[in-house]
Amino acid sequence: RHHEIHADNMRQLMDWLERGSIQPPVDSILPMSMAATALKKIADRRVMGKIVLVPDGANPPPLQGEPAFRRG
């Protein structure tokens, strides 16, 4: 039963996200090759929001007013 509740919650969250009802704060978008850096930032409590890891060479959209990859 718990997996059904979780699935329902995830569907609701994805719906809100797609409609723009929620906008999770994103601290950084980093390539997978910088995963260790991302974990260090988390461990050092230097993160305000989410860190998104993308495949190396990917061209994700920039954060609002920021370059595509913020480092450090």
Side-chain angles (χ1 to χ4, degrees):
R1 176 78 182 127
H2 292 294
H3 68 279
E4 292 172 11
I5 293 170
H6 177 70
D8 289 342
N9 289 341
M10 291 304 295
R11 274 190 288 278
Q12 181 67 63
L13 281 171
M14 293 309 292
D15 179 57
W16 289 339
L17 190 60
E18 289 170 0
R19 288 188 295 150
S21 299
I22 59 172
Q23 296 178 350
V26 176
D27 178 84
S28 306
I29 301 173
L30 301 171
M32 286 287 212
S33 60
M34 293 186 68
T37 299
L39 288 172
K40 177 132 179 57
K41 284 179 68 168
I42 294 168
D44 292 345
R45 300 169 97 28
R46 294 187 296 129
V47 177
M48 295 294 290
K50 308 294 183 194
I51 295 179
V52 178
L53 295 176
V54 297
D56 288 337
N59 190 19
L63 298 175
Q64 290 183 342
E66 296 288 339
F69 292 102
R70 287 196 334 193
R71 301 187 189 269

